[in-house]
Amino acid sequence: VPPPAPFLSSLYPCLEFQNDFYRSCIRRSSPQPPPNLAWRPESLYSGERAGGYLSLSKVVPFSHYAGTLLLLLAGVACLRGIGRWTNPQYRQFITILEATHRNQSSENKRQLAKYNFDFRSWPVDFHWEEPSSRKESRGGPSRRGVALLRPEPLHRGTADTLLNRVKKLPCQITSYLVAHTLGRRMLYPGSVYLLQKALMPVLLQGQARLVEECNGRRAKLLACDGNEIDTMFVDRRGTAEPQGQKLVICCEGNAGFYEVGCISTPLEAGYSVLGWNHPGFAGSTGVPFPQNEANAMDVVVQFAIHRLGFQPQDIIIYAWSIGGFTATWAAMSYPDVSAVILDASFDDLVPLALKVMPDSWRGLVTRTVRQHLNLNNAEQLCRYLGPVLLIRRTKDEIITTTVPEDIMSNRGNDLLLKLLQHRYPRVMAEEGLQVVRQWLEASSQLEEASIYSRWEVEEDWCLSVLRSYQAEHGPDFPWSVGEDMSADGRRQLALFLARKHLHNFEATHCTPLPAQNFQMPWHL
């Protein structure tokens, strides 16, 4: 548009304004390169941001920091390598470690035990398939794991259709997530990494004491699920003490380690001892779920029989607290073991889990325990036919469902009742069950003796009745003794059997059991 004449502008002042408006419209309509899209060489170095995307101005400093950090780490690794190479003790350790991997002789193992290092580098001492009987038989454990008692379905009689499976799927997913996150860590706090790091100085000190003072021998066992189990064996067979010929396999609690656990009780009593750590505890790998626990216990028993040379009749299973699950599983799976001693243990996990969780979570807690954390100690113990001793803590604050002072809420009572009802169902009828409950309710030894004497229990008569029945019918349970007996006779037998199977210990849950309280179970 040509510019207007000066005189026209003076005559028509609005014309200049319109002309400017037309020029702006033409500029807007003419094609212009879009902003920030034209390539400029200086943009590579100016650090400008185009279109909101990250440019090299922010990437370059980050790469500088990352490169500096990598160089520092590489320098530290080089310095550590040089320090180790120039250290004669470390070179000697590497020589012994390589020699042990090639030849696992007793001398190499003895030399290797002098050093404390990452247990992952320790050579495997025993494999779950090593016994020749395992290779030839088809009934042994597979790589999936050993056999466990499966819980009964929560709802009997319901058809397992596709629609029911779809309906159960959300609950099953929730139970799985709860068990593998919160549940497992609450049940086995010893598997938490931070707790292990806090206890590491104490564990190392306890391990050194077992090796140096007790001549303990450390070994790594490979279970059928691939987990590596850390064990410690103290051999007392060369001593003059007769109990040294017996091996006590110790099963620790949910935060117990063999370095500082219940292994000290049979050691002080003079027995040979084999301790092991749960999967995921200290040197053991894996996660402590019931299947992994049973797999670990299986390879421990196999190690005791086939490598250490103990007969099943010379093995005693001793457990504290949650270790009762693996102890009862071993007793069920190896019925020839000499005896089972359960200290501060329980019958079933569900009542104890409901105790610490909100009441509104009852259905979720029950389903989660039954499907993923089913510690059914009583059910497994009832399948063992040998001698059993239960030790009840009278001030136990862990396995009581109400308060420690309420001794009748101790789940050790239910473990005893279920065992006696399975073995002696006629004796533990209404009269026998009632009098045993009265005896369990006694809070002191004086009250126990009072109830025992009130019913005038004749121990010689009870022994003669039981021995005559065993001689006639054999040792297999359940027994029908007491079927043709008076109510007073059943009461006497029930009290006699309860007193022989359960001993009280006036202490809290975590108090170490004195050696004088470690006694062999009663048997006919």
Side-chain angles (χ1 to χ4, degrees), residues 397-428:
E397 72 281 10
I398 301 298
I399 63 170
T400 51
T401 55
T402 56
V403 293
E405 292 76 17
D406 184 11
I407 196 171
M408 283 305 294
S409 68
N410 190 311
R411 297 306 299 187
N413 302 333
D414 301 85
L415 183 58
L416 172 69
L417 293 176
K418 291 178 181 179
L419 177 64
L420 295 182
Q421 286 176 326
H422 170 76
R423 292 189 171 188
Y424 312 98
R426 300 293 186 272
V427 175
M428 294 299 295

Side-chain angles (χ1 to χ4, degrees), residues 246-269:
K246 296 283 187 178
L247 175 67
V248 178
I249 299 180
C250 300
C251 305
E252 300 291 343
N254 62 355
F257 303 81
Y258 73 72
E259 292 88 344
V260 291
C262 64
I263 190 176
S264 60
T265 298
L267 272 180
E268 294 178 5

Side-chain angles (χ1 to χ4, degrees), residues 8 10 32 49 68 88 128 138 153-154 164 178 181 220 280 294 334 345 370 374 381 385 387 399 405 414 424 469:
L8 290 178
S10 60
Q32 297 289 337
R49 186 172 59 89
T68 304
W128 68 281
R138 297 182 179 180
L154 297 177
N164 289 334
V178 171
T181 54
K220 177 191 286 188
Y334 296 89
S345 193
R370 287 287 178 250
N374 190 34
L381 185 62
L385 306 179
I399 63 170
E405 292 76 17
D414 301 85
Y424 312 98
Y469 181 90

